[in-house]
Amino acid sequence: MSDTTDSSSDATAEQSTETQHVERTDVGVSITVQLKRGSGTRDEDKIKGKVKAETLADAREDMDVLREYLHQLADDTRQIQPEAETE
């Protein structure tokens, strides 16, 4: 028999287990906007966006950019209409 099984288990035993600690701190401002159009189960669109920034002014600037993007996305989404079934 070869000694490869013993040497591979020795290599595994020699590997050190490193523990990493991650500290999470929430600092700043978070703004979430949700747009909903329609009220029926099959006739409703939902789009949700969130920005995070260190200051309210920065969050508002980011929200303006996000709002424009969501507006364009909503316009594009509204153009997609289901095809009517033909009988």
Side-chain angles (χ1 to χ4, degrees):
M1 281 185 104
S2 69
D3 197 35
T4 57
T5 305
D6 293 335
S7 62
S8 65
S9 63
D10 289 340
T12 305
E14 290 176 12
Q15 292 177 348
S16 65
T17 303
E18 183 179 333
T19 303
Q20 296 181 356
H21 297 280
V22 177
E23 184 176 330
R24 179 179 173 192
T25 56
D26 291 328
V27 178
V29 178
S30 172
I31 300 175
T32 303
V33 63
Q34 181 172 340
L35 307 172
K36 181 179 174 185
R37 183 182 73 88
S39 58
T41 303
R42 294 183 180 175
D43 183 32
E44 116 183 332
D45 300 320
K46 290 183 184 178
I47 300 175
K48 185 175 182 179
K50 183 175 186 176
V51 296
K52 291 184 178 183
E54 289 187 20
T55 66
L56 181 57
D58 290 342
R60 284 181 176 169
E61 285 181 30
D62 292 346
M63 183 53 73
D64 288 340
V65 173
L66 179 61
R67 187 179 299 118
E68 180 62 31
Y69 172 73
L70 292 178
H71 181 73
Q72 291 174 358
L73 183 60
D75 283 344
D76 290 346
T77 304
R78 283 186 205 112
Q79 300 305 314
I80 302 170
Q81 298 297 323
E83 294 182 18
E85 292 183 20
T86 56
E87 293 182 24

XYZ file of all heavy atoms in Angstrom:
674
model
N 0.837 -1.185 0.000
C 0.000 0.000 0.000
C 0.872 1.234 0.000
O 1.951 1.246 0.551
C -0.885 0.031 1.237
C -2.087 -0.861 1.160
S -3.117 -0.613 2.597
C -4.367 0.347 1.844
N 0.375 2.274 -0.588
C 1.132 3.521 -0.605
C 0.808 4.348 0.625
O -0.185 4.139 1.306
C 0.840 4.314 -1.878
O -0.485 4.782 -1.821
N 1.630 5.343 0.846
C 1.510 6.193 2.029
C 0.770 7.491 1.720
O 0.784 8.402 2.510
C 2.917 6.483 2.555
C 2.879 6.993 3.983
O 2.020 6.525 4.739
O 3.694 7.866 4.319
N 0.073 7.582 0.554
C -0.566 8.833 0.149
C -1.752 9.185 1.040
O -2.002 10.339 1.305
C -1.044 8.758 -1.320
O -1.925 7.651 -1.448
C 0.128 8.650 -2.260
N -2.469 8.202 1.530
C -3.620 8.486 2.393
C -3.158 9.131 3.693
O -3.742 10.106 4.144
C -4.397 7.195 2.703
O -4.751 6.566 1.481
C -5.642 7.489 3.516
N -2.116 8.613 4.270
C -1.601 9.184 5.513
C -1.078 10.594 5.321
O -1.322 11.464 6.148
C -0.488 8.297 6.100
C -1.037 6.951 6.577
O -2.243 6.892 6.894
O -0.256 5.992 6.626
N -0.376 10.854 4.218
C 0.188 12.182 4.009
C -0.902 13.207 3.712
O -0.797 14.358 4.113
C 1.238 12.170 2.895
O 0.631 11.797 1.681
N -1.984 12.813 3.036
C -3.056 13.770 2.762
C -3.813 14.103 4.040
O -4.230 15.229 4.242
C -3.996 13.257 1.682
O -4.663 12.107 2.142
N -4.010 13.154 4.923
C -4.685 13.464 6.177
C -3.789 14.300 7.079
O -4.268 15.136 7.834
C -5.147 12.191 6.891
O -4.020 11.401 7.228
N -2.464 14.107 6.989
C -1.531 14.944 7.743
C -1.585 16.383 7.256
O -1.555 17.318 8.052
C -0.094 14.422 7.626
C 0.098 13.118 8.394
O -0.733 12.843 9.289
O 1.064 12.395 8.096
N -1.707 16.576 5.944
C -1.771 17.920 5.373
C -3.039 18.625 5.832
O -3.032 19.815 6.131
C -1.719 17.857 3.849
N -4.133 17.892 5.916
C -5.386 18.476 6.376
C -5.280 18.863 7.846
O -5.747 19.916 8.257
C -6.556 17.488 6.184
O -6.602 17.094 4.824
C -7.869 18.103 6.592
N -4.656 18.056 8.627
C -4.495 18.338 10.050
C -3.603 19.552 10.280
O -3.774 20.276 11.257
C -3.927 17.119 10.765
N -2.649 19.771 9.377
C -1.715 20.886 9.523
C -2.333 22.227 9.121
O -1.842 23.268 9.504
C -0.462 20.643 8.684
C 0.404 19.523 9.223
C 1.581 19.235 8.318
O 1.847 20.047 7.406
O 2.236 18.197 8.505
N -3.419 22.221 8.340
C -4.049 23.467 7.916
C -4.669 24.145 9.129
O -5.379 23.519 9.902
C -5.143 23.220 6.874
C -4.627 22.739 5.552
C -5.758 22.451 4.577
O -6.918 22.402 4.955
N -5.412 22.253 3.323
N -4.353 25.420 9.276
C -4.911 26.137 10.418
C -6.304 26.643 10.077
O -6.589 27.003 8.949
C -4.008 27.302 10.801
O -3.972 28.250 9.759
N -7.152 26.656 11.063
C -8.491 27.191 10.900
C -8.453 28.636 11.359
O -8.154 28.923 12.503
C -9.503 26.411 11.739
O -9.442 25.042 11.369
C -10.903 26.943 11.542
N -8.747 29.553 10.434
C -8.701 30.976 10.741
C -10.110 31.485 10.979
O -10.996 31.275 10.179
C -8.064 31.742 9.580
C -7.905 33.205 9.840
C -7.258 33.928 8.673
O -6.499 33.302 7.916
O -7.536 35.114 8.522
N -10.315 32.137 12.098
C -11.602 32.716 12.418
C -11.549 34.204 12.137
O -10.634 34.882 12.589
C -11.967 32.501 13.899
O -11.947 31.102 14.160
C -13.327 33.081 14.211
N -12.510 34.680 11.381
C -12.570 36.101 11.065
C -13.811 36.688 11.723
O -14.888 36.115 11.667
C -12.636 36.327 9.554
C -11.414 35.860 8.824
C -11.516 36.124 7.332
O -12.528 36.583 6.844
N -10.457 35.828 6.619
N -13.632 37.837 12.357
C -14.738 38.536 12.983
C -15.053 39.764 12.145
O -14.173 40.539 11.810
C -14.380 38.957 14.411
C -14.105 37.790 15.299
N -15.110 37.051 15.871
C -12.950 37.210 15.692
C -14.587 36.081 16.582
N -13.274 36.152 16.490
N -16.319 39.934 11.807
C -16.761 41.067 11.008
C -17.655 41.927 11.886
O -18.610 41.443 12.476
C -17.526 40.609 9.749
C -18.037 41.804 8.964
C -16.646 39.716 8.898
N -17.324 43.199 11.962
C -18.142 44.122 12.728
C -18.916 44.986 11.751
O -18.339 45.596 10.858
C -17.265 45.006 13.615
C -18.052 45.928 14.504
C -17.150 46.724 15.435
O -16.082 46.216 15.806
O -17.524 47.851 15.761
N -20.219 45.041 11.929
C -21.065 45.813 11.027
C -21.590 47.032 11.772
O -22.146 46.914 12.856
C -22.241 44.977 10.543
C -23.149 45.736 9.625
C -24.277 44.892 9.145
N -25.191 45.758 8.410
C -26.375 45.408 8.041
N -26.812 44.209 8.312
N -27.141 46.231 7.384
N -21.388 48.155 11.164
C -21.948 49.375 11.744
C -22.783 50.062 10.683
O -22.378 50.201 9.542
C -20.837 50.337 12.216
O -19.974 50.621 11.120
C -20.034 49.732 13.338
N -23.964 50.450 11.068
C -24.852 51.167 10.163
C -24.743 52.651 10.481
O -25.168 53.087 11.549
C -26.296 50.700 10.316
C -26.495 49.287 9.799
O -25.786 48.917 8.848
O -27.335 48.565 10.333
N -24.157 53.369 9.558
C -23.982 54.802 9.744
C -24.581 55.497 8.542
O -24.388 55.079 7.406
C -22.487 55.162 9.863
C -22.305 56.652 10.003
C -21.850 54.426 11.030
N -25.315 56.555 8.780
C -25.835 57.333 7.669
C -27.330 57.220 7.514
O -28.052 56.977 8.466
N -27.749 57.370 6.260
C -29.165 57.489 5.933
C -29.531 56.446 4.889
O -28.763 56.156 3.981
C -29.452 58.900 5.377
C -30.898 59.048 4.979
C -29.064 59.961 6.382
N -30.725 55.907 5.020
C -31.254 54.967 4.039
C -32.634 55.457 3.626
O -33.460 55.787 4.477
C -31.349 53.576 4.663
O -32.009 52.693 3.804
N -32.879 55.519 2.321
C -34.178 55.933 1.800
C -34.675 54.840 0.857
O -33.943 54.388 -0.013
C -34.094 57.269 1.029
C -33.597 58.397 1.929
C -35.456 57.623 0.441
C -33.375 59.705 1.190
N -35.925 54.433 1.046
C -36.529 53.420 0.190
C -37.775 54.008 -0.456
O -38.550 54.689 0.197
C -36.925 52.178 1.017
O -35.774 51.679 1.685
C -37.503 51.095 0.128
N -37.939 53.744 -1.742
C -39.133 54.188 -2.448
C -39.727 52.969 -3.144
O -39.009 52.127 -3.675
C -38.825 55.316 -3.465
C -37.880 54.850 -4.555
C -40.091 55.847 -4.089
N -41.044 52.853 -3.081
C -41.731 51.763 -3.751
C -42.845 52.345 -4.591
O -43.668 53.112 -4.093
C -42.301 50.776 -2.735
C -43.010 49.611 -3.394
C -43.402 48.533 -2.398
O -42.863 48.460 -1.312
N -44.344 47.706 -2.779
N -42.861 51.986 -5.855
C -43.896 52.445 -6.781
C -44.812 51.267 -7.091
O -44.355 50.168 -7.354
C -43.260 52.946 -8.077
C -42.176 54.000 -7.951
C -41.526 54.250 -9.304
C -42.754 55.273 -7.408
N -46.100 51.496 -7.047
C -47.062 50.455 -7.362
C -48.118 51.041 -8.280
O -48.635 52.111 -8.030
C -47.714 49.931 -6.085
C -48.712 48.834 -6.340
C -49.290 48.341 -5.031
C -50.396 47.351 -5.290
N -51.051 46.935 -4.051
N -48.385 50.337 -9.361
C -49.401 50.762 -10.320
C -50.354 49.610 -10.518
O -49.943 48.469 -10.670
C -48.737 51.125 -11.645
C -49.717 51.656 -12.684
C -49.018 51.965 -13.987
N -48.637 50.774 -14.710
C -49.421 50.143 -15.583
N -50.619 50.588 -15.844
N -48.997 49.073 -16.202
N -51.634 49.905 -10.504
C -52.651 48.876 -10.687
C -53.097 48.313 -9.351
O -52.468 48.504 -8.323
N -54.207 47.595 -9.390
C -54.735 47.050 -8.141
C -55.109 45.575 -8.250
O -55.273 44.909 -7.238
C -55.963 47.847 -7.692
O -56.953 47.812 -8.694
N -55.239 45.079 -9.448
C -55.611 43.676 -9.629
C -54.407 42.765 -9.520
O -53.262 43.171 -9.670
N -54.687 41.502 -9.252
C -53.611 40.524 -9.113
C -52.759 40.443 -10.371
O -51.542 40.373 -10.306
C -54.199 39.128 -8.807
O -54.988 39.221 -7.636
C -53.098 38.108 -8.609
N -53.402 40.501 -11.518
C -52.666 40.383 -12.779
C -52.472 41.729 -13.459
O -51.974 41.794 -14.569
C -53.403 39.426 -13.716
C -53.406 38.032 -13.179
C -54.055 37.090 -14.127
N -54.034 35.751 -13.547
C -54.613 34.715 -14.076
N -55.274 34.849 -15.206
N -54.544 33.547 -13.510
N -52.910 42.779 -12.803
C -52.805 44.112 -13.393
C -52.089 45.047 -12.424
O -52.607 46.082 -12.049
C -54.206 44.654 -13.713
C -54.136 46.019 -14.394
O -53.169 46.253 -15.125
O -55.034 46.842 -14.156
N -50.897 44.624 -12.000
C -50.178 45.477 -11.071
C -48.690 45.372 -11.326
O -48.171 44.317 -11.679
C -50.613 45.127 -9.646
C -49.642 44.579 -8.730
C -50.266 44.217 -7.371
O -51.249 44.819 -6.944
O -49.722 43.317 -6.750
N -48.024 46.494 -11.204
C -46.573 46.569 -11.350
C -46.003 47.122 -10.054
O -46.545 48.073 -9.494
C -46.177 47.522 -12.489
C -46.733 47.089 -13.828
O -46.740 45.887 -14.095
O -47.169 47.972 -14.588
N -44.929 46.527 -9.590
C -44.246 47.034 -8.397
C -42.769 47.216 -8.715
O -42.148 46.333 -9.292
C -44.362 46.054 -7.231
C -45.720 45.932 -6.630
C -45.679 44.990 -5.437
C -47.045 44.763 -4.857
N -47.015 43.804 -3.734
N -42.249 48.357 -8.329
C -40.826 48.632 -8.486
C -40.351 49.230 -7.173
O -40.973 50.139 -6.638
C -40.548 49.613 -9.643
C -41.063 49.029 -10.959
C -39.066 49.916 -9.736
C -40.938 49.969 -12.132
N -39.260 48.710 -6.651
C -38.754 49.168 -5.359
C -37.278 49.526 -5.503
O -36.520 48.823 -6.164
C -38.919 48.056 -4.319
C -38.552 48.442 -2.923
C -38.876 47.301 -1.967
C -38.557 47.664 -0.552
N -38.896 46.565 0.376
N -36.885 50.638 -4.901
C -35.497 51.073 -4.947
C -35.051 51.575 -3.587
O -35.860 52.035 -2.783
N -33.762 51.464 -3.305
C -33.229 51.886 -2.012
C -31.861 52.514 -2.212
O -31.057 52.016 -3.005
C -33.113 50.671 -1.093
C -32.639 50.988 0.299
C -32.687 49.734 1.153
C -32.362 50.038 2.587
N -32.490 48.840 3.434
N -31.612 53.590 -1.507
C -30.292 54.223 -1.523
C -29.788 54.344 -0.098
O -30.576 54.458 0.847
C -30.304 55.621 -2.196
C -30.677 55.524 -3.655
C -31.203 56.582 -1.473
N -28.485 54.288 0.042
C -27.829 54.497 1.336
C -26.705 55.491 1.129
O -26.002 55.441 0.124
C -27.239 53.196 1.865
C -28.251 52.179 2.287
C -27.564 50.976 2.891
C -28.566 49.957 3.360
N -27.909 48.828 4.016
N -26.557 56.388 2.071
C -25.494 57.386 1.988
C -25.132 57.835 3.401
O -25.853 57.568 4.360
C -25.945 58.576 1.146
N -24.016 58.529 3.499
C -23.566 58.983 4.810
C -24.367 60.168 5.320
O -24.539 60.335 6.522
C -22.084 59.332 4.761
C -21.196 58.108 4.620
C -19.724 58.436 4.734
O -19.382 59.502 5.289
O -18.919 57.622 4.282
N -24.867 61.005 4.406
C -25.634 62.177 4.832
C -26.968 62.207 4.098
O -27.136 61.584 3.045
C -24.883 63.491 4.527
O -24.788 63.642 3.113
C -23.495 63.506 5.151
N -27.904 62.969 4.647
C -29.216 63.106 4.009
C -29.091 63.774 2.647
O -29.746 63.370 1.688
C -30.162 63.906 4.909
C -31.581 64.117 4.378
C -32.256 62.792 4.081
C -32.395 64.932 5.365
N -28.223 64.767 2.538
C -28.032 65.457 1.255
C -27.531 64.483 0.186
O -28.010 64.489 -0.951
C -27.073 66.627 1.420
N -26.565 63.637 0.561
C -26.054 62.642 -0.392
C -27.144 61.637 -0.764
O -27.272 61.241 -1.926
C -24.850 61.903 0.199
C -23.618 62.777 0.324
O -23.558 63.832 -0.344
O -22.707 62.388 1.093
N -27.938 61.234 0.225
C -29.022 60.279 -0.043
C -30.057 60.883 -0.981
O -30.571 60.210 -1.872
C -29.675 59.842 1.268
N -30.355 62.164 -0.802
C -31.323 62.823 -1.699
C -30.791 62.894 -3.120
O -31.548 62.687 -4.079
C -31.641 64.222 -1.183
C -32.569 64.226 -0.007
C -32.872 65.620 0.453
N -33.854 65.606 1.534
C -34.147 66.650 2.266
N -33.564 67.816 2.047
N -35.039 66.551 3.216
N -29.517 63.199 -3.272
C -28.920 63.232 -4.622
C -29.004 61.847 -5.261
O -29.388 61.718 -6.430
C -27.460 63.676 -4.546
C -27.261 65.148 -4.309
C -25.782 65.523 -4.271
O -24.977 64.845 -4.951
O -25.444 66.477 -3.564
N -28.640 60.827 -4.485
C -28.702 59.462 -5.017
C -30.137 59.063 -5.339
O -30.396 58.379 -6.327
C -28.088 58.477 -4.017
C -26.587 58.659 -3.845
O -25.974 59.356 -4.680
O -26.031 58.102 -2.869
N -31.081 59.508 -4.512
C -32.487 59.182 -4.749
C -32.986 59.843 -6.026
O -33.774 59.255 -6.770
C -33.354 59.591 -3.562
C -34.817 59.219 -3.719
S -35.164 57.479 -4.105
C -34.808 56.726 -2.533
N -32.525 61.056 -6.312
C -32.922 61.715 -7.559
C -32.468 60.902 -8.766
O -33.208 60.724 -9.732
C -32.348 63.132 -7.628
C -33.036 64.089 -6.664
O -34.165 63.787 -6.221
O -32.424 65.138 -6.347
N -31.243 60.388 -8.703
C -30.721 59.544 -9.789
C -31.527 58.249 -9.868
O -31.936 57.818 -10.948
C -29.217 59.244 -9.572
C -28.711 58.228 -10.587
C -28.399 60.521 -9.639
N -31.782 57.641 -8.718
C -32.539 56.391 -8.692
C -33.965 56.595 -9.180
O -34.499 55.786 -9.932
C -32.551 55.811 -7.274
C -33.322 54.508 -7.099
C -32.719 53.403 -7.955
C -33.355 54.100 -5.635
N -34.583 57.698 -8.778
C -35.959 57.980 -9.195
C -36.043 58.094 -10.715
O -36.972 57.564 -11.335
C -36.456 59.266 -8.537
C -37.933 59.516 -8.800
C -38.435 60.787 -8.138
N -38.296 60.739 -6.694
C -37.541 61.589 -5.980
N -36.879 62.552 -6.565
N -37.481 61.478 -4.662
N -35.092 58.769 -11.336
C -35.078 58.895 -12.800
C -34.936 57.519 -13.446
O -35.624 57.197 -14.417
C -33.941 59.815 -13.244
C -33.843 60.010 -14.746
C -35.075 60.655 -15.359
O -35.731 61.467 -14.675
O -35.392 60.344 -16.525
N -34.049 56.689 -12.882
C -33.863 55.332 -13.405
C -35.156 54.521 -13.260
O -35.581 53.838 -14.197
C -32.711 54.624 -12.688
C -32.610 53.171 -13.044
C -32.130 52.781 -14.288
C -33.021 52.182 -12.155
C -32.048 51.442 -14.633
C -32.952 50.851 -12.488
C -32.465 50.490 -13.725
O -32.404 49.171 -14.068
N -35.797 54.591 -12.087
C -37.039 53.848 -11.875
C -38.146 54.333 -12.801
O -38.961 53.536 -13.274
C -37.484 53.961 -10.410
C -36.596 53.267 -9.378
C -37.128 53.517 -7.978
C -36.481 51.783 -9.656
N -38.172 55.634 -13.051
C -39.173 56.195 -13.964
C -38.998 55.605 -15.370
O -39.974 55.182 -16.005
C -39.050 57.717 -14.000
C -40.051 58.387 -14.881
N -41.373 58.503 -14.547
C -39.914 58.958 -16.112
C -42.011 59.118 -15.527
N -41.152 59.408 -16.482
N -37.765 55.561 -15.840
C -37.495 54.980 -17.164
C -37.827 53.494 -17.179
O -38.408 52.979 -18.148
C -36.036 55.195 -17.545
C -35.693 56.637 -17.815
C -34.200 56.836 -18.039
O -33.410 55.905 -17.965
N -33.822 58.076 -18.301
N -37.472 52.802 -16.101
C -37.773 51.375 -16.015
C -39.279 51.131 -16.018
O -39.775 50.231 -16.698
C -37.147 50.795 -14.745
C -37.290 49.298 -14.523
C -36.635 48.514 -15.656
C -36.688 48.912 -13.188
N -40.032 51.958 -15.295
C -41.488 51.823 -15.263
C -42.083 52.079 -16.646
O -43.001 51.365 -17.079
C -42.079 52.787 -14.233
N -41.580 53.105 -17.351
C -42.064 53.375 -18.712
C -41.815 52.186 -19.630
O -42.695 51.786 -20.400
C -41.390 54.616 -19.292
C -41.953 55.910 -18.735
O -43.052 55.885 -18.145
O -41.285 56.956 -18.904
N -40.620 51.619 -19.543
C -40.296 50.451 -20.364
C -41.187 49.268 -20.009
O -41.662 48.548 -20.879
C -38.829 50.057 -20.191
C -37.870 51.063 -20.802
O -38.317 51.931 -21.596
O -36.662 51.003 -20.482
N -41.428 49.077 -18.718
C -42.244 47.952 -18.265
C -43.684 48.082 -18.731
O -44.314 47.103 -19.119
C -42.197 47.847 -16.723
O -40.826 47.733 -16.319
C -42.969 46.660 -16.219
N -44.204 49.295 -18.722
C -45.599 49.507 -19.153
C -45.797 49.184 -20.629
O -46.904 48.888 -21.055
C -46.016 50.948 -18.887
C -46.314 51.198 -17.442
C -46.858 52.593 -17.219
N -46.579 52.983 -15.856
C -45.730 53.931 -15.496
N -45.088 54.627 -16.385
N -45.534 54.201 -14.229
N -44.731 49.236 -21.404
C -44.832 48.937 -22.828
C -45.004 47.447 -23.086
O -45.436 47.045 -24.162
C -43.592 49.451 -23.578
C -43.372 50.946 -23.456
C -44.571 51.764 -23.886
O -45.162 51.514 -24.925
N -44.946 52.728 -23.065
N -44.683 46.643 -22.109
C -44.832 45.201 -22.257
C -46.253 44.826 -21.862
O -46.644 44.942 -20.707
C -43.827 44.445 -21.351
C -42.401 44.868 -21.693
C -44.014 42.931 -21.479
C -41.367 44.372 -20.696
N -47.035 44.429 -22.830
C -48.426 44.068 -22.592
C -48.634 42.620 -22.967
O -48.116 42.136 -23.963
C -49.360 44.959 -23.424
C -49.286 46.423 -23.084
C -49.724 46.705 -21.647
O -50.642 46.075 -21.148
N -49.056 47.650 -21.005
N -49.409 41.896 -22.181
C -49.698 40.500 -22.538
C -50.534 40.449 -23.811
O -51.359 41.325 -24.044
C -50.481 39.956 -21.336
C -51.007 41.166 -20.639
C -50.073 42.305 -20.957
N -50.288 39.454 -24.580
C -51.056 39.286 -25.818
C -52.419 38.720 -25.491
O -52.550 37.828 -24.650
C -50.308 38.361 -26.769
C -48.993 38.961 -27.261
C -48.292 38.033 -28.244
O -48.944 37.129 -28.794
O -47.096 38.247 -28.440
N -53.423 39.213 -26.156
C -54.788 38.716 -25.961
C -54.893 37.330 -26.565
O -54.364 37.061 -27.645
C -55.790 39.660 -26.584
N -55.573 36.457 -25.837
C -55.764 35.102 -26.354
C -56.813 35.142 -27.462
O -57.835 35.785 -27.347
C -56.221 34.174 -25.233
C -55.148 33.947 -24.200
C -55.619 32.967 -23.128
O -56.581 32.208 -23.376
O -55.012 32.965 -22.065
N -56.565 34.421 -28.545
C -57.518 34.335 -29.646
C -58.264 33.012 -29.541
O -57.697 31.978 -29.212
C -56.810 34.429 -30.998
O -55.819 33.406 -31.075
C -56.172 35.793 -31.156
N -59.536 33.057 -29.794
C -60.352 31.848 -29.716
C -60.648 31.285 -31.050
O -60.690 31.834 -32.041
C -61.648 32.150 -28.979
C -61.391 32.468 -27.547
C -62.685 32.721 -26.791
O -63.758 32.240 -27.214
O -62.635 33.413 -25.772
